[in-house]
Every structure is written in structure tokens, then in C-alpha cells.
Amino acid sequence: MAPPISVPPTALTGLREDLAGEVYVPGDPGYDEARTIHNGMIDRRPAVIAQCATTEDVSNAVLFGRETGLPIAVRGGGHSVAGTSVVDDGLVIDLRRMHTVVADPEHMTVRVGGGATMSHLDHATQPFHLATTGGRVSTTGVGGFTLGGGSGWLERKFGLACDNLLAAELVTAEGKHVHADAETNPELFWALHGGGGNFGVATSLTLRLHELPEMSFAMLFFLPESAPEVVRTFRDLADRAPDEAGGGIIYFPAPPEPFIPEHLVGELVCAALISYAGPVAEVRDLAAPLFTLKPVVEMVTDIPYVDFQCMIDDPPGLRNYWSAEYLHALPDDAVDAFCARGALIPAPTATQHVLFMMGGAVAAGPADYPIPWRSAPWVVHPFATWEDPADDERAIQWVRDVRADARPWSTGDVYLNFIGAEGDARVVAGFGAENYRRLAAVKAVYDPDNVFRFNHNITPAAA
Ligand SMILES: Cc1cc2nc3c(=O)[nH]c(=O)nc-3n(C[C@H](O)[C@H](O)[C@H](O)COP(=O)(O)OP(=O)(O)OC[C@H]3O[C@@H](n4cnc5c(N)ncnc54)[C@H](O)[C@@H]3O)c2cc1C
């Protein structure tokens, strides 16, 4: 391993003077908070953290990183499960201060700062009864989420987040400002639809908004022994569900919520969750076949979208390991395999074993983008979270077992935002081989030296 690069004090002083935001180095008050990300397994110590407040700050920080030779990581919401937004002995360009969100209800668009979270986005758009597809947890960064694809409750109605991307402002590896949209730098714009943070630092994204006057949901909890029948019923219901419906099946330990009877709290349950971009009566009708299976808890209600978006927020700091398999079909054997592994969720953990329905506007979205997984009708998403490092091995093994179980029905494609570091072959599977070659050519234009390499990395095409 190469020894850490020492930062010349004059360069650091220059950075502090140049930045409207803040600079943290080890020992500074605030340094530890600034280096902490969502996944508690990631404990890295950057040499410098540049908390940028403006596009010029980002540009100065990129140039500082290049001049000093520090490896550069880019941080938005800090939700990368692989921990790509923080780097040992390097420079973190932290965008969290750049969280301004400006909705334009007249043109049905919203301009989102590169470090804004879902919460910032939803709070700025919901007063107008407007929304776009966002992540299912309010603390996730809009930047990493959208550039990687962006899967959320509203995706079957409004498409993936990146399908709603209208324009981006980027700072490139040379520290230059570049605008990308369908007319200006179209190849770069294409690459931003799934290619992640490979091409530059997005200081703002402009997204399309949609009318969302009403949001409702049905959540029914079942005991694990009923799960195979519940999942089969859900699958059949999904076949005829309108695009307003999203959601899936989640195995997890029942949380301590007021609507959960005390004897169930902490017990493993199988929940059927339907999000619905419409009135509560319609979601109740859609969920009707599930009621006949005797849920132990049922909740059907309307809810403001901003509140729905926080419903499954996890506390930060838990240890996280996840993966995903995209399925071309969900026959009974696949249901049985899913349920058998669900019953084996390692305890005591806050792990979730998720099966999301896809289809709708996701499948119907632009086939050209580097998102080969969009046509899969189902995704199995084991989402292990736990507290005690002593549980690392069995939690990680359980995730790997879920993948192995699902493999007979797997398309082989994967959404990279749903996985950690699983090797180069999985990165190619995330984009598709042909798209990967095209992305590598774009990378060679905008980042030939692979300055932005802490991500699901695309190697620049050879000159
Ligand atoms: C609790 C939780 C729930 C999640 N739920 C969902 C979900 O419902 N749907 C879904 O699709 N995904 C979900 N994710 C995954 C999430 O989309 C990805 O982890 C995404 O990368 C997070 O973006 P971030 O900005 O928060 O992450 P960060 O860790 O800050 O960034 C991750 C990477 O994204 C890039 N990046 C981030 N911001 C920028 C920017 N402004 N410019 C350039 N590059 C940037 C960088 O390469 C960085 O390494 C979830 C993650 C967590 C932890």
C-alpha cells in the first residue's frame, strides 16, 4: 500500500481561503461527524474534507485534490452501502451544504442542489402537490440516487428518477463547469442516466415533476407460516395492478410502532405493502385478496407523501450489507425459495428481506439508457442491517444465500445502487456490456485519468 500523501500546509491554507464552505482535517472539531456515513461498517479517515457551499467551491476542491495528488471521493447523502463517498487519506468533496431545492410549479420542474436529500426534495415540492420518483428513505441523497437510476414508490407511475432527469450541472475532473441536457452534451447526458458519479460532481440536477394530489397505502402483516400464500397472492395482484401501485413484500422483525400489538414487536413478520398514488378506496380494493389471508395487523390509510417517504427510515450507524437479484419471473418455486430464506433472517438484527414489484413506467421507460434491469418484473433485495460486529459473518452470509437461492430466475442484470462492492463483473452487469463500452468512451472524454473512481467504477476507454 502506498504511504499516505502529505498535504503541504500552504495548499491547505489556500483551500481554506478559497472555500465559502468549511474544511476539516483530522483533529478539527466536526471532523468525525463529517467523515461518518450511513453504513456503520465504514470507518475511514480522510486527510481533508471540503464541505463545499458553491459550484466554485467544488471546482476549487477538485483542483486542490488534483494538485496535491489526494484521491477524491464525492459525498452527497452518504448512503452508499459500499462507502464510496469517503476515502482513507484522501479528499472528500462533501456536498451536504448544497441542498437548496427550488420547485418551479409553472413548468413542473425542480432544481435540486447536488447535496440535497429526499427530505429536502419532497418538502419543496409537496406544498404544490407535485412530486417525482424519490428513494424510499428520506435521508438518501438525491444525487447518488438519481445518477445511479433511482428506484422508489412512485416508479411504476412516473418512471425511475433518472427518467425524470432533464438537465445537470457538473464540475468535471478538470474543475470546469459543464451543462448537460438532451441538446447540450447529449452523450454525457445519456451517461448520467445510470452511470453514477463517474463523470463529474453534479452541483445541481433538474428533474421533471408530476401531479400527486393523493397518496395512500395498504400494509398488512402476516405470520411467516402464511407467507408463501401471501406472496403468491401478491404476485397475482401485481399482475393486474395499475401503475399507481408500487411496493412489495418485506420480511422483517415487527417494529415498535403504536399500531403493532406488543406481542408481535421484534417477531419476524411478512408484510405486504402497497403504495398507491391515488385514493385510499382504490388501494383497499386492490389489496382485497390479501385481507382474506387473515393478516395479524392491517393498516390502510391515506397519508401525505412526505410522511410516507419517512415511513421506513433506518437510524444511521447500523452495519449494512445488501445485494439484489433481478428476476425474469416469479414462479411458485421462486416464491418458496424467497420465503424459506425469509424465515432464516439472522436475529437479532433489523434486516429486511424485500421483494419489490417492478413493471409499469419502469419497464416502459427509455430502453436506450444504461439500465438493463428495468425490464425485470421483480427484484429480490436482501437488506441486512445489524449492530454487533460479531454478527458480520452470518448477516453477510445470509445475503449471499438469498442471492444464490434467486439465481435460477435471475436476469443477471443488477441495479448498482442496491449493492456494495461485488467486483468488476457485477459493475458490467449493472450497465450491460454494450452500454459499458459506450460509458467508458464518455468517461475517457470527461475523466480520462479516472479522478472520480470511488464509485461503481467505469474504466476510461483507451485513447
Ligand atoms: C437506507 C437506504 C435506503 C435506500 N433506499 C433506496 C431506494 O429506495 N431506492 C434506490 O434506488 N436506492 C436506495 N438506496 C441506495 C441509494 O440510492 C444509493 O446508495 C445512492 O448512491 C445514495 O446516494 P447518496 O448521495 O446518499 O450517497 P453517497 O454515499 O453520498 O454517494 C454515493 C456515490 O454517489 C455519487 N454521488 C453522490 N452525489 C453525487 C453528486 N452530487 N455528483 C456526483 N456524484 C455523486 C458518488 O460517486 C458517491 O460515491 C438506499 C440507501 C440507503 C442507505
Side-chain angles (χ1 to χ4, degrees), residues 37-39 73-81 83-86 95 113-116 118 134-137 139-153 170 196-198 200-205 312-314 320 322 356 373 381 383 415-418 454-456:
I37 64 167
H38 185 86
N39 185 354
V74 177
R75 178 195 176 128
H79 273 44
S80 146
V81 69
T84 54
S85 42
V86 59
L95 303 169
M118 295 305 149
R136 299 173 183 89
V137 164
T139 49
T140 305
V142 180
F145 167 81
T146 305
L147 296 171
S151 158
W153 301 120
L170 254 73
N198 271 284
V201 184
T203 53
S204 86
L205 301 172
I312 58 166
D313 279 8
D314 273 337
N320 277 249
W322 332 328
F356 282 133
W373 44 273
H381 182 24
F383 193 107
Y415 173 33
L416 296 170
N417 272 357
F418 275 0
F454 296 97
N455 44 40
H456 291 292

Side-chain angles (χ1 to χ4, degrees), residues 316-336:
L318 290 174
R319 302 172 81 76
N320 277 249
Y321 185 88
W322 332 328
S323 194
E325 286 292 337
Y326 282 73
L327 310 185
H328 53 71
L330 190 66
D332 287 352
D333 287 359
V335 171
D336 291 344

Side-chain angles (χ1 to χ4, degrees), residues 62-63 65-67 69-73 172-175 197-200 439-455 457-463:
V62 169
L63 294 176
R66 298 213 62 176
E67 279 155 18
L70 290 176
I72 299 176
T172 67
E174 287 185 329
N198 271 284
F199 308 98
L439 290 165
V442 183
K443 178 88 172 168
V445 174
Y446 291 94
D447 184 15
D449 300 325
N450 208 1
V451 169
F452 301 117
R453 61 182 177 277
F454 296 97
N455 44 40
N457 195 232
I458 296 161
T459 306

